[in-house]
Amino acid sequence: MLLFCSVLVAAIDFGSSDSGCAFSLRSDYESDPINTIHTESLGGNSSKTQKSPTVVLMNPDGEFAAFGKKAEQQYEELALDDEDKKWFYFTRFKMQLFTKKGLNKDMMLEDINGRKMKALDVFACCIEYIKNKVFKRAEEGVSNLQEDEVHWMITVPAIWNESARQFIIAAATKAGINPVLLSLVLEPEAAAVFCKYVAIRSSKDGKEAKLEVFESGSQFVIVDLGGGTVDITCNEVTETGQLQEIYHASGGPWGGNMINLRIWKLIRSVIGNATFDACMEESTYLKLCMLKEIEEGKMKMKSNEKATFKLPFEFSNKKIEYKGAEIIKDKIHIDPDVISKVFEYAIEQVCSHLSKVLARDETRNVKYLLLVGGYASCEILKETIKKKFNTYDIIHPCNNPEMIVLNGAVIMGHESRPIIGRLARYHYGLAVPSGLRIIPKKETTMHTEFDHEPTFLPLICKGTPIRIGKKVAQYSFIVTSEELTDIEIGILTCEDDKAPSSIAENSCNKIGQIVAKFPALIKNSKMTIIISCDETEFKVTAVIDELGHSFSARCSFLL
Ligand SMILES: Nc1ncnc2c1ncn2[C@@H]1O[C@H](COP(=O)(O)OP(=O)(O)OP(=O)(O)O)[C@@H](O)[C@H]1O
Ligand SMILES: [Mg+2]
C-alpha cells in the first residue's frame, strides 16, 4: 500500500469499543519498523489500555465537544446536573454499520437518550478530531509536514460489506482526508502483518519467538476478538514471506460487548425489568455508572468465581427472589454457575464458528491460532478456546492484544504489498439493465439477452482469489435502445456455495451499482466495461469502442 509521496503513515483504529491512532515516519520505519511507531492518546486514556473509548459528545447545536474519556467525564458531569438531555452522546456506534441493511449516507444514529443525528456527521467529526490530533503531534516532529505527505490508514472489520467500507471512506473524506491518500485496512490482516513483524524482529534479536508460524508454507488462523466483531482470517505464508488467504474472512457480532449486554440483561431481570428500566430512564447518570461498573467488573471475572457489581443506591438492600443472586447493601452478588452462563453463550458463538472454519478442507493444515484484540485478554474466553482447540498451538502474540491491529495498520502503510491475495466472501455478479445486450465471449454458453432473462453475470466466484490491482472481469455490450446516457449496472452478491443463475434468486442481494454517464450512445454502438479490484473497492473503466473513449465509472455501494 506504499504511497509514493508519503513521508508519514498514520493509522486510525476506529473500534466498536475503543479507538486508537498511531503513526510512524517512513525514514524511521526503515531502520526499525516496530519501535518507531508512536501512539497518540485520544481524549484521555484509561490506565489499562492505550486506546480510548469510542465515545463522542456533541453540544446541543450538534457540534463536536469531546471524544473518549474526556467525553465520558464531561457527559457524566452534565448528567449529574441533569443537563444531559439536550446534548448528544454516542457510544459504541460503529456496529450499527454492520447491522444496517441498505446503508446510505442519510442513515441516522441514535444516541444514549434516543436523540438522532446523521451517522455520516458523527463518524466524520470523530475522524476529523483524530486526524487533527495526529497531524498536530506529527508536525511537532517533522517540520513543515504537509497534509498531502501523510498516508492515512483506517481499519475496518474484514466481515464488513462494501457499503460499510464505502461509508467510512465518505466519512473520512468529509473529515478532510483526501481519499487518494486513504487506504482501508482489514483488521485481522493488519493483525497478521504485525504478528509477522514481531516474530521477525525477535529472531534478529535472538529472543524467543514462535517463528515457525511465519515460515514459508505455514498456515495459521487469526482471530481478532474485538468489542463488536469477531473477525477470522486464515492465511498461508508464501515463499516471498507475504500472506495469502486460504479461506475467506468470516465472523460475526460476537465481540466483548455481547458480554456487557448479557450482564446488563441479567441484572435487569434480577431487579425486575420495569423497576430497573424506570431507574435507568430517569437518571442518565445512574445508567452511565451501571454501564461502567459492568465493563470494569467483567474484566476481573474468573471462571468458578462469584461476580459482584455495585448497584445504584435505589436498589440497596432490595429484596429479590432470584436463584443464584443476592443483593447485600449496594452490591449484587451473582453465583458462578449463573454468571458463567452469560459467558458460555457468548463464547459458544465464537467457538462454534471457529470450529466450522477449522473443519473446512482449505484449513486442514492449519496448526496455529493467533488470538488478538482486547477481548483476547478475557481469561474465561482464553481457557475455553484452549480447551476446545487443544490440538492447535494457541498464541497470544503480545501483552497488549488490543494494540495489534493498530500497529499492524501502520506497518501495512509502509509495505508495498504485505497481503498478496484474499478470497471472495461471496459470489459477486452484475445485473445488466435493459438497453444493453451482452456480446458473448466465444468460450461461454451464457445467455445473451438481458431484456427478459435477468442473468447473474459473474464477476468473482466465492472462495476464489481477488488479485489486488488486477482485472477481475471484462464484458462487452451492444446498446439496444435508441439513446442511452445514464447506465446503472447492479452489483449483486450471493452467499450460497453455488453461484446463482438468475438475479431473481432469493439468495441474491443487491449491494451497489456501477453508475456511468456517457454522451448519448447510439443504438448498436459497442461498449466494454473492465472491472478491477484495488485494496478495498471495485474500479470500473468503460470504453466506447467506436469512439475509443474511455470513462471511469463509479461503483457506489451506498444505495
Ligand atoms: N480482560 C478482559 N476481559 C474481558 N473483556 C475484555 C478484557 N480486556 C478487554 N476486553 C474487551 O475487549 C473489547 C475491546 O477490544 P478491542 O479494543 O480490540 O475492540 P475494538 O477494536 O474496539 O472492537 P472491534 O474490533 O470489534 O471494532 C471490549 O469489549 C473490552 O471489554
Ligand atoms: Mg478492533
Side-chain angles (χ1 to χ4, degrees):
M1 287 191 200
L2 198 72
L3 277 189
F4 183 62
C5 52
S6 69
V7 169
L8 185 128
V9 172
I12 302 175
D13 178 9
F14 198 80
S16 311
S17 176
D18 298 300
S19 294
C21 63
F23 63 90
S24 74
L25 281 168
R26 164 117 29 246
S27 51
D28 288 347
Y29 174 82
E30 275 150 20
S31 57
D32 184 346
I34 302 283
N35 291 315
T36 51
I37 299 177
H38 303 274
T39 316
E40 177 62 5
S41 125
L42 296 171
N45 279 335
S46 71
S47 54
K48 282 205 110 183
T49 161
Q50 290 169 284
K51 285 169 89 180
S52 304
T54 309
V55 175
V56 60
L57 178 68
M58 317 273 215
N59 70 17
D61 294 328
E63 292 156 352
F64 177 85
F67 185 86
K69 278 259 166 245
K70 270 194 192 147
E72 283 186 345
Q73 283 156 4
Q74 203 176 326
Y75 193 63
E76 251 175 53
E77 284 162 23
L78 285 164
L80 255 183
D81 298 338
D82 268 338
E83 297 217 0
D84 55 288
K85 298 283 192 294
K86 290 187 213 128
W87 292 61
F88 296 85
Y89 185 70
F90 294 95
T91 70
R92 306 196 160 144
F93 45 92
K94 174 179 149 185
M95 276 302 283
Q96 293 192 38
L97 297 194
F98 175 75
T99 41
K100 192 89 183 161
K101 269 204 163 180
L103 187 67
N104 63 47
K105 285 187 182 170
D106 298 319
M107 172 190 162
M108 303 299 276
L109 279 189
E110 263 188 35
D111 86 338
I112 193 166
N113 288 315
R115 302 196 71 206
K116 288 188 176 161
M117 194 179 267
K118 247 181 148 179
L120 195 69
D121 293 342
V122 179
F123 277 87
C125 87
C126 294
I127 296 174
E128 190 176 0
Y129 162 78
I130 300 173
K131 169 191 163 261
N132 291 343
K133 202 142 197 303
V134 178
F135 191 77
K136 217 165 168 194
R137 169 80 196 282
E139 257 183 327
E140 289 167 12
V142 188
S143 59
N144 210 19
L145 180 69
Q146 302 298 309
E147 294 237 348
D148 60 4
E149 290 172 330
V150 182
H151 181 186
W152 291 95
M153 317 292 287
I154 299 186
T155 68
V156 290
I159 55 166
W160 265 17
N161 62 17
E162 279 71 10
S163 316
R165 292 183 199 177
Q166 214 168 58
F167 183 92
I168 289 291
I169 295 174
T173 311
K174 194 160 198 250
I177 295 179
N178 179 349
V180 174
L181 304 173
L182 169 70
S183 303
L184 297 189
V185 189
L186 303 190
E187 288 166 7
E189 285 186 358
V193 168
F194 178 78
C195 295
K196 210 184 99 189
Y197 264 81
V198 175
I200 288 169
R201 193 178 70 92
S202 302
S203 77
K204 271 192 193 158
D205 294 349
K207 287 182 197 155
E208 189 208 23
K210 291 268 184 187
L211 271 177
E212 60 276 25
V213 181
F214 296 105
E215 273 171 10
S216 155
S218 162
Q219 298 191 345
F220 62 93
V221 164
I222 292 258
V223 189
D224 178 11
L225 298 146
T229 50
V230 173
D231 249 359
I232 297 173
T233 47
C234 314
N235 293 289
E236 176 173 325
V237 185
T238 66
E239 275 180 12
T240 54
Q242 290 161 299
L243 301 177
Q244 161 79 56
E245 241 182 22
I246 49 171
Y247 181 61
H248 66 80
S250 62
W254 320 302
N257 294 345
M258 194 178 206
I259 305 272
N260 300 38
L261 209 69
R262 290 180 59 79
I263 297 176
W264 178 277
K265 279 191 180 156
L266 174 66
I267 296 177
R268 182 173 176 255
S269 60
V270 172
I271 305 273
N273 293 355
T275 318
F276 186 80
D277 290 351
C279 173
M280 294 297 127
E281 266 160 41
E282 196 184 313
S283 167
T284 311
Y285 180 72
L286 294 180
K287 190 173 180 179
L288 294 174
C289 292
M290 197 70 238
L291 287 168
K292 205 167 164 193
E293 180 64 20
I294 291 176
E295 174 69 10
E296 286 169 6
K298 167 186 92 165
M299 304 278 189
K300 295 179 216 138
M301 270 183 222
K302 300 218 163 68
S303 43
N304 306 320
E305 280 184 15
K306 264 193 177 201
T308 302
F309 300 93
K310 195 166 182 284
L311 292 173
F313 56 87
E314 275 83 349
F315 304 141
S316 288
N317 293 318
K318 186 173 174 11
K319 294 265 165 301
I320 50 162
E321 280 173 33
Y322 194 99
K323 201 163 172 285
E326 60 177 340
I327 295 176
I328 305 171
K329 292 187 180 161
D330 62 346
K331 292 207 173 72
I332 180 168
H333 303 272
I334 305 169
D335 285 353
D337 55 326
V338 176
I339 198 73
S340 67
K341 292 232 161 44
V342 164
F343 280 82
E344 260 168 35
Y345 174 83
I347 294 172
E348 182 49 32
Q349 310 295 310
V350 181
C351 290
S352 80
H353 183 79
L354 191 53
S355 299
K356 277 186 211 144
V357 170
L358 292 169
R360 304 277 319 183
D361 245 13
E362 297 90 325
T363 56
R364 67 182 180 279
N365 294 325
V366 166
K367 285 204 195 96
Y368 308 97
L369 306 185
L370 280 79
L371 307 186
V372 305
Y375 188 26
S377 301
C378 174
E379 289 300 329
I380 305 176
L381 173 72
K382 273 199 272 193
E383 277 170 26
T384 317
I385 291 187
K386 267 191 196 147
K387 230 185 259 164
K388 285 209 166 161
F389 301 97
N390 57 11
T391 54
Y392 294 87
D393 199 344
I394 295 172
I395 302 172
H396 301 273
C398 78
N399 292 334
N400 296 320
E402 71 283 355
M403 298 303 287
I404 294 177
V405 166
L406 178 62
N407 290 329
V410 175
I411 294 174
M412 282 183 86
H414 287 293
E415 289 286 290
S416 53
R417 199 141 277 185
I419 310 279
I420 52 167
R422 57 177 77 102
L423 306 177
R425 285 196 297 134
Y426 323 98
H427 291 282
Y428 287 87
L430 299 178
V432 180
S434 55
L436 289 182
R437 179 166 56 84
I438 189 163
I439 303 174
K441 292 177 195 158
K442 281 192 191 78
E443 68 273 19
T444 65
T445 52
M446 198 180 284
H447 291 289
T448 56
E449 269 299 345
F450 286 91
D451 291 357
H452 307 294
E453 180 69 36
T455 306
F456 183 92
L457 201 55
L459 268 185
I460 307 173
C461 289
K462 182 172 172 177
T464 60
I466 299 178
R467 297 281 171 203
I468 296 161
K470 298 265 162 64
K471 183 170 89 178
V472 295
Q474 171 170 338
Y475 287 107
S476 294
F477 305 93
I478 294 277
V479 175
T480 54
S481 85
E482 282 306 323
E483 210 173 59
L484 205 59
T485 51
D486 289 2
I487 296 179
E488 281 188 16
I489 300 173
I491 304 173
L492 309 171
T493 56
C494 170
E495 269 190 88
D496 294 352
D497 280 345
K498 193 172 165 286
S501 53
S502 156
I503 66 163
E505 283 183 28
N506 282 344
S507 51
C508 280
N509 210 351
K510 184 175 176 193
I511 59 155
Q513 60 218 3
I514 297 169
V515 187
K517 270 191 188 299
F518 297 104
L521 284 173
I522 309 150
K523 196 171 176 184
N524 291 331
S525 51
K526 188 179 155 205
M527 183 185 78
T528 300
I529 63 165
I530 301 150
I531 297 165
S532 58
C533 267
D534 75 358
E535 303 288 343
T536 45
E537 269 194 303
F538 290 126
K539 290 260 170 335
V540 186
T541 312
V543 182
I544 300 168
D545 294 9
E546 282 79 8
L547 305 171
H549 290 169
S550 77
F551 300 84
S552 9
R554 221 162 46 86
C555 278
S556 169
F557 295 106
L558 291 174
L559 297 172

